Amino acid sequence: MRILHTSDWHLGRSFHRVGLLDAQEAFVDHLVHTARSERVDAVVVAGDVHDRALPSLDAVALYDRALHRLAALGVPTVMISGNHDSARRLGVGAGLMGRAGIHLRTDPAGCAVPVVLADEHGDVALYGLPYLEPAMVREEFGVRRADHAAVLGAAMDRVRADLAARPAGTRSVVLAHAFVAGGASSDSERDITAGGVAAVPPSVFDGVDYVALGHLHGSQALTERLRYSGSPLAYSFSEADHRKSMWLVDLGPRGEVSAERVDCPVPRRLARVRGRLEDLLADPSLDRHADAWLEATVTDPHRPHEPMARLRKRFPHVLSLVLDPERSDDDPLASYATRLRGRTDRQIAEDFVAHVRGTGPDDHERAVLHAAFDAVRPGAEGAGTQGAGARGAGSAAAGTASTGEA
């Protein structure tokens, strides 16, 4: 059986205020063309279909066109909700869509109810595990600890139990939206650490033939059977070196896996440059970046006059300006940024308590702080990324500015 694995479309997202709907539509064209030309038996979309819980009308219209085109191909599509999606909204009409071959899996209670397809070698059961927010689903799965490993482990126990009751030789595919240990992240993924440790061990998914993962935006294979497709477009400059693609997976008669990457269209190349402003404006080796979407990090000790306007004369598509002045090691602002770099919001809160009181929080107070962070996460559709406070404070200390959204 041939499966086309994709994820993290983030329909409606922009890139530093540049709209990407046309590029996302071009990706949908490419997806449909690939499904047809490669004679795909199923398309799987591993979450974050939309960029936000309340997507724009244009994003919803593009989503609707994508579903109609996939249904018209007659290629079954299995799709789960991610942490950016509103699971309940994405799942509206799932029963009717299923009759057209578009199978939405957004309800955690249905994670062990597979879409069963068949080829000449027998059945393939495709299980959709939507993004599982630990604090919201712990009762459904009866787990004592509200963390990602516990709830995903319980969901996979249900999957394995269902699979064990099926005819011998039934092959299996699981779609999941999660941060699996060993995966490489980027700046454009929303934090899912609240509610417990984010990373889950690969062993959580033992017992199935292929795991189609979503959440991380870089295409990567953690094992032969455990892969992230990555996002089809770059959504942050940290993805400048990513090769955006989908996985074309062949599932053999005994569950053996072979996979190849299918490159996605690139609307415009990304580049990052760093140095003093006059050097960036004069260096002939940077001519190759004239047509790229550009992030420029300016390291002058003092802010130059109108740096963005001057950069745009040479680089018309510069989108992000970062001011990171060169500082001596004894500069207090440099040391402050160093202290905060890489620290999470929880750690910063605990440090603040220690700073104002002279002693850090005790175990009870630490639990209260952590509970407060956890309590706001499930409803925080626009929550920031891990360590946002640390990076924001560190950037401010370093004099960082940007002309667009992260």
Side-chain angles (χ1 to χ4, degrees), residues 13-341:
R13 189 161 185 163
S14 59
F15 185 78
H16 291 267
R17 299 182 184 176
V18 175
L20 292 177
L21 273 173
D22 287 345
Q24 290 171 334
E25 182 127 36
F27 161 70
V28 171
D29 289 343
H30 174 66
L31 172 72
V32 172
H33 171 76
T34 302
R36 181 189 300 113
S37 64
E38 296 292 341
R39 300 182 181 276
V40 165
D41 298 302
V43 173
V44 298
V45 186
D48 281 353
V49 179
H50 293 294
D51 188 56
R52 58 190 65 188
L54 291 172
S56 68
L57 292 178
D58 287 340
V60 172
L62 176 54
Y63 167 70
D64 183 61
R65 290 195 295 275
L67 296 191
H68 275 83
R69 295 180 67 183
L70 288 168
L73 278 180
V75 177
T77 298
V78 184
M79 183 179 293
I80 62 172
S81 50
N83 60 301
H84 277 248
D85 298 307
S86 167
R88 294 189 66 179
R89 289 187 176 91
L90 191 68
V92 169
L96 288 174
M97 291 184 190
R99 298 179 186 178
I102 305 295
H103 305 278
L104 300 177
R105 292 295 186 264
T106 63
D107 184 357
C111 66
V113 180
V115 176
V116 180
L117 306 178
D119 62 11
E120 65 271 25
H121 304 295
D123 288 348
V124 178
L126 293 89
Y127 299 88
L129 277 57
Y131 170 67
L132 302 175
E133 177 66 55
M136 298 180 70
V137 302
R138 63 180 300 181
E139 292 185 5
E140 164 64 34
F141 292 105
V143 297
R144 296 179 61 185
R145 295 177 55 194
D147 65 30
H148 291 271
V151 296
L152 264 174
M156 282 301 302
D157 285 344
R158 294 186 183 183
V159 167
R160 284 185 283 263
D162 180 84
L163 187 59
R166 294 188 175 275
T170 299
R171 291 159 290 163
S172 54
V173 174
V174 165
L175 288 70
H177 195 85
F179 181 15
V180 179
S185 61
S186 61
D187 291 344
S188 58
E189 297 132 10
R190 181 178 295 168
D191 170 44
I192 58 172
T193 57
V197 177
V200 301
S203 59
V204 164
F205 298 102
D206 284 352
V208 296
D209 295 313
Y210 183 73
V211 182
L213 293 170
H215 180 58
L216 299 185
H217 288 181
S219 178
Q220 51 200 294
L222 303 185
T223 70
E224 191 66 23
R225 299 175 182 275
L226 195 69
R227 298 172 183 265
Y228 283 100
S229 68
S231 59
L233 299 172
Y235 293 120
S236 74
F237 278 103
S238 67
E239 301 167 58
D241 295 328
H242 285 191
R243 174 187 165 192
K244 296 301 183 181
S245 59
M246 303 178 286
W247 286 112
L248 190 62
V249 179
D250 285 310
L251 193 63
R254 292 176 297 280
E256 60 270 33
V257 171
S258 62
E260 63 177 292
R261 293 174 72 174
V262 179
D263 290 331
C264 295
V266 178
R268 189 178 295 275
R269 187 173 58 84
L270 270 58
R272 306 171 101 173
V273 296
R274 180 184 181 90
R276 296 198 175 196
L277 180 60
E278 293 302 329
D279 293 335
L280 297 179
L281 295 175
D283 186 349
S285 70
L286 301 182
D287 287 347
R288 66 188 187 278
H289 299 318
D291 292 329
W293 279 330
L294 190 72
E295 178 182 75
T297 299
V298 174
T299 62
D300 298 58
H302 303 287
R303 182 186 178 101
H305 178 65
E306 296 186 340
M308 187 57 118
R310 295 167 67 187
L311 283 165
R312 280 197 174 127
K313 290 181 180 179
R314 183 179 187 191
F315 307 105
H317 305 288
V318 60
L319 298 180
S320 176
L321 171 65
V322 180
L323 301 177
D324 188 11
E326 300 165 350
R327 299 186 187 277
S328 61
D329 292 339
D330 59 354
D331 188 310
L333 289 178
S335 61
Y336 177 68
T338 300
R339 289 199 307 273
L340 292 183
R341 188 173 296 123

